[in-house]
Amino acid sequence: MPFFSYVAIDKHGKKIKESVEASSLDTAKNSLRGAGYTILEIKEQNPLNRDINLPFLGNPTAKHMAIFCRQFVSILRSGVPISAVLTMLGQQTENAKLAAAVREMQADIEKGETLTGSMRKHPKIFPNMLVNMVAAGEESGNLEDSFRQMELYFEKAKRTKSAVTRVMIYPCILLVVMIIVLFVMMTKIIPMFLQTFKEMNAELPTLTLMVMAVSDWFVDWWWLLLLILVVLVVGGILFDHTNKGRHFFGFLARKLPLVGKLTVRSACATLCRTMSLLLASGLTLTESLELAAGNMNNIYFKEAVRSVRGMVTEGWTLSRGIQETRVFPPMVSNLVGVGEEAGDLQGMLGKLADYYDEEVEEATQKLLAALEPIVILFMAVFVVIIVFSIFLPMLNMTSAYDQYL
């Protein structure tokens, strides 16, 4: 089914930017209005801006978890017992591993296990943050609200991660296409033209001779280039699984001119959103920081949050700890300090999360807008060189022929 991006006002008056899966535009609108949203803007996502989902990786993604939480709330509202809710979800959940876990949870519930206890048996499926929120919901008797908050959390996490992925996948697709075109032209098309020039014993321009040399190299050694690309990709993946590799790629993600700001804003959004929800669930500040560190993708931010946890344990304020890491922007520590002084740390973190969510979306659009002309210009230069290398000899031969006549 298609996905629709929307901007709406929820029942609490908060402006949100999310996406929803529906069979049609009207169905999406009805679903959002039924949830109490006032729609400001809604449109179908196209292949370049839609949320990225890789179901073949097996483990449930943020999208799967958001759908699971949404369906749990919808069925629970009907007054159905939790055991029956899990039975229905086990039958309709798309992800195989999540569906299997839900069916096992249903069996545990029938044996008298709590929902929290049954979820803790599947740590690879249900993140600690979700388990803690469910535990808080069971203790307060407001399980529906806990799942609703986690649905919004997973939706926003999906959009943040998808925004970063979209930025990377667009130039990668163009790069792959360019490599394929380069390979076909260098090994099939250009040799046909250049062989004709050789047979005519024509005097060839320097540019054409250079392209001929590159083409001959491609014909003889194309397999070596392919092997190098495979080694680089596999080596990069293996290197990324080492501590040095994680630090290397984490450093690049923070410092690259076009990607750095997006990485920092994404990390800020993740930290603030996670901390706001965990504090709302009743966890202590140190417990929330430990779980929040586990949610950070970049190792530099993960280490920074764990460092903040150590400082808070020693009696430091959260704002001072964040400032001392020198990893997060000053705005985060400053506003967290305001929230601490006002006694509303959770609310301030929520506002910061909303702010950085918008910043991630804006940074994504700017980055895509910057990458597109750069990639197109690079491809245009490549095409112009190839075209001139072919047509210059033809023009020279035409001129010589005209002079002969």
Side-chain angles (χ1 to χ4, degrees):
M1 288 193 294
F3 284 81
F4 298 87
S5 299
Y6 67 88
V7 181
I9 304 295
D10 65 12
K11 58 185 178 182
H12 301 295
K14 181 185 295 185
K15 185 177 179 181
I16 57 175
K17 295 180 180 180
E18 303 292 346
S19 65
V20 64
E21 184 179 13
S23 57
S24 66
L25 180 61
D26 290 337
T27 303
K29 290 181 178 179
N30 292 334
S31 175
L32 294 173
R33 288 167 181 157
Y37 292 168
T38 301
I39 302 172
L40 302 179
E41 179 185 349
I42 183 169
K43 59 183 178 180
E44 185 175 353
Q45 296 179 344
N46 59 51
L48 286 181
N49 65 17
R50 74 168 295 168
D51 298 328
I52 306 300
N53 179 34
L54 302 175
F56 56 83
L57 294 180
N59 289 327
T61 62
K63 171 196 168 184
H64 293 129
M65 299 308 299
I67 294 174
F68 169 77
C69 293
R70 184 184 310 128
Q71 292 175 337
F72 193 101
V73 170
S74 299
I75 300 173
L76 193 64
R77 283 176 180 171
S78 305
V80 179
I82 292 179
S83 176
V85 172
L86 294 175
T87 300
M88 286 183 268
L89 290 179
Q91 295 172 348
Q92 64 189 46
T93 300
E94 293 181 2
N95 184 269
K97 290 187 177 182
L98 178 57
V102 170
R103 287 191 290 269
E104 292 182 19
M105 287 168 54
Q106 188 267 337
D108 290 337
I109 293 294
E110 290 185 345
K111 295 176 182 177
E113 183 74 74
T114 63
L115 182 59
T116 304
S118 64
M119 293 178 75
R120 290 192 191 279
K121 296 180 180 180
H122 307 278
K124 294 183 178 180
I125 303 297
F126 301 104
N128 287 332
M129 182 173 177
L130 174 60
V131 176
N132 281 285
M133 288 295 293
V134 171
E138 285 188 311
E139 291 178 5
S140 64
N142 197 0
L143 190 60
E144 179 183 319
D145 185 59
S146 294
F147 271 98
R148 177 57 183 162
Q149 289 185 55
M150 287 307 302
E151 176 201 343
L152 296 176
Y153 171 83
F154 284 124
E155 284 284 355
K156 292 180 179 180
K158 177 187 68 174
R159 288 187 62 83
T160 301
K161 185 176 181 180
S162 182
V164 178
T165 306
R166 286 201 306 270
V167 169
M168 301 306 298
I169 202 169
Y170 177 67
C172 287
I173 290 175
L174 291 180
L175 181 61
V176 170
V177 171
M178 189 176 69
I179 290 175
I180 294 174
V181 172
L182 175 65
F183 177 80
V184 173
M185 293 191 70
M186 286 296 183
T187 60
K188 300 295 181 182
I189 298 176
I190 292 178
M192 293 172 55
F193 282 95
L194 299 183
Q195 183 62 33
T196 303
F197 298 148
K198 290 179 181 178
E199 292 175 356
M200 297 176 65
N201 294 321
E203 185 178 350
L204 302 177
T206 303
L207 178 62
T208 306
L209 292 174
M210 292 173 60
V211 173
M212 285 177 61
V214 175
S215 176
D216 290 338
W217 187 91
F218 262 85
V219 172
D220 295 333
W221 299 98
W222 63 268
W223 58 269
L224 180 61
L225 179 62
L226 181 61
L227 180 62
I228 292 173
L229 289 174
V230 171
V231 169
L232 287 176
V233 172
V234 175
I237 294 174
L238 295 177
F239 184 53
D240 187 46
H241 283 75
T242 65
N243 187 54
K244 289 184 178 180
R246 286 190 290 269
H247 280 87
F248 174 75
F249 290 116
F251 177 81
L252 286 182
R254 290 174 54 222
K255 299 299 182 180
L256 285 176
L258 295 178
V259 182
K261 288 185 178 180
L262 179 60
T263 301
V264 173
R265 291 170 182 175
S266 175
C268 292
T270 300
L271 173 65
C272 296
R273 188 188 312 114
T274 303
M275 290 292 296
S276 178
L277 280 177
L278 291 174
L279 290 174
S281 71
L283 268 67
T284 64
L285 187 56
T286 54
E287 291 173 334
S288 299
L289 285 168
E290 181 61 31
L291 291 174
N295 279 354
M296 308 303 291
N297 294 320
N298 190 299
I299 191 168
Y300 281 96
F301 294 104
K302 184 187 296 288
E303 292 175 344
V305 175
R306 285 178 176 160
S307 176
V308 172
R309 180 186 181 279
M311 298 177 194
V312 170
T313 303
E314 294 175 0
W316 292 33
T317 62
L318 178 61
S319 57
R320 185 185 172 194
I322 292 175
Q323 183 179 14
E324 285 296 316
T325 63
R326 303 186 186 279
V327 171
F328 295 97
M331 179 178 177
V332 176
S333 58
N334 291 336
L335 290 184
V336 165
V338 172
E340 288 174 325
E341 292 178 3
D344 187 23
L345 179 59
Q346 174 198 332
M348 182 58 71
L349 287 168
K351 293 177 182 178
L352 272 169
D354 292 338
Y355 169 78
Y356 278 109
D357 280 334
E358 295 179 2
E359 286 289 297
V360 167
E361 189 67 28
E362 182 180 349
T364 301
Q365 299 302 325
K366 288 182 178 179
L367 188 52
L368 284 174
L371 283 175
E372 186 173 356
I374 292 174
V375 175
I376 291 176
L377 178 62
F378 185 73
M379 295 181 69
V381 170
F382 163 72
V383 171
V384 168
I385 291 175
I386 298 299
V387 170
F388 267 84
S389 69
I390 293 175
F391 279 95
L392 278 178
M394 297 175 64
L395 292 174
N396 291 342
M397 286 188 291
T398 302
S399 300
Y401 180 73
D402 291 340
Q403 293 176 4
Y404 175 77
L405 293 178

